[in-house]
Amino acid sequence: MRDRFLAEEVWETIGLPVEECVGYVESSEDMRRFRSALFTRIVPTIRDIGLWGPKIRRAHSNMGIIGFADIDAEGLMRADERVAEEFDSRRRMH
């Protein structure tokens, strides 16, 4: 998954400087927020559905995302529902 985020093959294929592009992706605040939002959902789900074996834990640790396993996915889903309901409520008013 980490390799897909870095997209080295994409940068190479389109003729951009790979190391420079990878550096940008790794240091981009937008990409950090995106990865955080993504892994906040993915990692706890992997844990909750029983795929949290040693190999997966090691891979997540190597990617630096092991801490996302401690997130309360149920709580996040409830918060998402509240946000969606508030959004729908405001939309109906307009």
Side-chain angles (χ1 to χ4, degrees):
M1 190 177 297
R2 181 188 66 234
D3 293 342
R4 291 192 189 253
F5 281 121
L6 297 178
E8 291 176 349
E9 68 283 354
V10 173
W11 311 130
E12 186 175 340
T13 299
I14 60 177
L16 293 174
V18 175
E19 287 184 33
E20 185 178 331
C21 292
V22 167
Y24 176 76
V25 169
E26 288 178 328
S27 65
S28 166
E29 185 59 35
D30 290 333
M31 281 303 291
R32 254 193 288 272
R33 282 193 303 268
F34 171 74
R35 287 188 302 260
S36 179
L38 179 67
F39 292 129
T40 294
R41 300 306 200 260
I42 290 176
V43 176
T45 301
I46 289 171
R47 178 202 62 213
D48 291 348
I49 63 174
L51 298 176
W52 201 235
K55 183 177 179 182
I56 296 296
R57 283 194 303 271
R58 188 170 42 257
H60 283 79
S61 181
N62 290 343
M63 288 190 328
I65 60 172
I66 193 81
F68 289 103
D70 299 329
I71 290 175
D72 174 19
E74 293 287 327
L76 288 173
M77 289 172 33
R78 286 190 300 274
D80 289 346
E81 284 295 320
R82 281 192 302 275
V83 168
E85 289 169 7
E86 290 171 10
F87 177 81
D88 286 346
S89 176
R90 284 193 307 270
R91 204 171 108 211
R92 283 190 291 266
M93 290 180 179
H94 291 88

